[in-house]
Every structure is written in C-alpha cells, then in structure tokens.
Amino acid sequence: MVTFLITSFFILAFLAIAIYFWQKPASAIEAEALRPPPGRGLFIDDTPDGQARAEPDFEAAEEAVQQRAELLQRAKAGEKSTLLEAREMDAELYEEALDLLVAQADSDSKLLTVISYVARHDLRVNDKLAERVIDAYKNAPDRSATAKMLHVAALSDNAAVYQRAVETALTFWREGRLSEISAQELRSILEGEFWILSSPTRSSGAGFLLKRTLANARRVLDAAHND
C-alpha cells in the first residue's frame, strides 16, 4: 500500500512538471502574438525610412498646383489647346481655362475661333461662352447666326441661358430683323434645340420657366403663320 502511494505521488509530480513546461512556451508564443505592433502614423510604416514617405506625396501635390497655374496662364494668353489638357485633369480646371479663353476673346473673330475649337474637339460649352455668343449675335443677327446661337446656348445645358437665347431670337424676329426666317422655321429651331438640354435640366424649375417661354413663342409664331 505504501509503495502504491509513493508511486502515485511520483507519477502526479511528473505530470505536474510536464504540464508546467508544456504551457510555458505556449504562453510565451501567445504573449508574443498579442504584443502590440510598433506605433504607426499617417507617414510611418515598417520600413526604416517610413517617415520620409511623406516627401514624394508633398512634392507631387506642389507640382500639380504649379502645373495648373501654368496651364491657366497659357489659357489667359489665348492657347486653346489648354482646354484638352484641362479636360483630362478635372472639370473645374476646364471651366476656368474656358472662362479665360472667352475673356481674352475681345472680338467676334476671336470668339469664333474659340467656338470652332470647342465644336471641333467636341468639348463642353459653359455658361460664359454661351452668354458671349448671345451677346455677339446681337451685332449681326441673320438666319445662320440665329441657328448657331441657339445651338451653342442649348449646349450649355443651362435652361436660363437657353431661355435668354430664345427670347433674343424671338424679339429680333418680331422686330423684322430676321425676315429670311419663316415663323414655322424659327419655331422648329427653337423646339428642336430644346431637346439638346439634358432631362434633369428640362425638368428643373428653370426648365419649367423655359417651357413657358417656348409655349409663348409657339403661340406668337403660329399666329403669324396663320395670318
């Protein structure tokens, strides 16, 4: 009996020692796995030069700002190719470049070259360009100029701008300054160009006012056609 108890005691002691040494490495591995990683910030990574990684980004941003400034300076000088470059960069830059080109076009002939360039390269017409075309149209309204003016105004996709173009053309027609355009032809042009406007523009509040203006123009032109 005594021998059995002694033997059991040694077996239990051996098992306790074995379990202790088996659990120790596992605990150490688990602690290592749970150890928090080195501190990381926006500009810090695992590499020794992690702090320096911010430098290329900063330089790239500074270069982009300089590039935009140079492009706008060229647009201000009348370089129309800047529109293609600006379009590839972003819409806001394109808008600024086109505004500068329109501003430097101090004659109808220069404005025509801007319009031609925009049309040739299928570029977007903005409000300033459309407004300038309407103003230039007033100097020499005729059949061809009327169609072009209304088309450019519609391409701006601005209901208020197109409404102004419609009112201008209708006023000149009623004053007899567009005698080569029949009432039905003018109505056809006005309504045809309306559909160039995007659906959201046609459905907007300004689009509603435009529709009222077109309805009034239709009544005036139909009455003249039936006389």
Side-chain angles (χ1 to χ4, degrees):
M1 184 68 179
V2 174
T3 303
F4 175 75
L5 290 175
I6 293 173
T7 303
S8 299
F9 173 80
F10 279 110
I11 292 174
L12 290 174
F14 176 81
L15 289 176
I17 293 171
I19 291 173
Y20 171 79
F21 283 104
W22 178 78
Q23 284 185 338
K24 185 175 182 181
S27 300
I29 293 173
E30 183 178 357
E32 182 67 25
L34 295 177
R35 184 178 300 170
R40 293 188 182 183
L42 182 60
F43 304 117
I44 301 176
D45 57 22
D46 292 331
T47 60
D49 61 340
Q51 188 67 33
R53 292 282 178 107
E55 291 302 325
D57 292 339
F58 177 78
E59 291 175 2
E62 187 175 11
E63 182 179 351
V65 170
Q66 184 176 355
Q67 184 180 4
R68 292 171 71 93
E70 290 175 354
L71 186 145
L72 292 176
Q73 191 62 35
R74 287 161 52 207
K76 189 175 181 180
E79 191 175 329
K80 291 181 284 295
S81 62
T82 54
L83 293 177
L84 296 176
E85 298 175 43
R87 180 180 63 175
E88 295 302 316
M89 296 175 72
D90 62 69
E92 182 180 351
L93 183 61
Y94 174 83
E95 188 86 6
E96 291 183 50
L98 184 53
D99 284 350
L100 288 171
L101 284 167
V102 171
Q104 67 82 37
D106 54 4
S107 67
D108 290 349
S109 60
K110 288 183 179 180
L111 180 63
L112 180 59
T113 63
V114 176
I115 298 169
S116 299
Y117 190 89
V118 168
R120 187 165 64 253
H121 294 279
D122 195 26
L123 298 172
R124 190 173 61 82
V125 173
N126 69 358
D127 295 350
K128 278 196 175 181
L129 178 57
E131 293 281 3
R132 276 292 305 277
V133 170
I134 295 172
D135 291 337
Y137 165 76
K138 295 176 182 179
N139 299 326
D142 59 23
R143 185 176 182 276
S144 176
T146 299
K148 291 177 181 177
M149 181 271 294
L150 289 167
H151 184 63
V152 171
L155 288 174
S156 72
D157 199 29
N158 185 316
V161 171
Y162 188 64
Q163 180 178 347
R164 182 188 169 204
V166 169
E167 292 170 343
T168 301
L170 184 62
T171 297
F172 285 170
W173 183 87
R174 297 177 76 171
E175 292 175 352
R177 300 176 64 181
L178 298 175
S179 57
E180 69 271 33
I181 304 180
S182 68
Q184 287 301 98
E185 183 181 9
L186 181 57
R187 173 182 169 176
S188 177
I189 296 173
L190 296 179
E191 294 182 346
E193 297 295 342
F194 168 77
W195 293 103
I196 290 180
L197 300 173
S198 65
S199 179
T201 298
R202 296 196 305 270
S203 303
S204 64
F208 174 76
L209 297 177
L210 170 59
K211 291 174 185 176
R212 289 177 54 182
T213 298
L214 287 171
N216 177 64
R218 189 182 305 116
R219 286 192 295 270
V220 171
L221 295 170
D222 285 348
H225 176 72
N226 295 328
D227 283 347

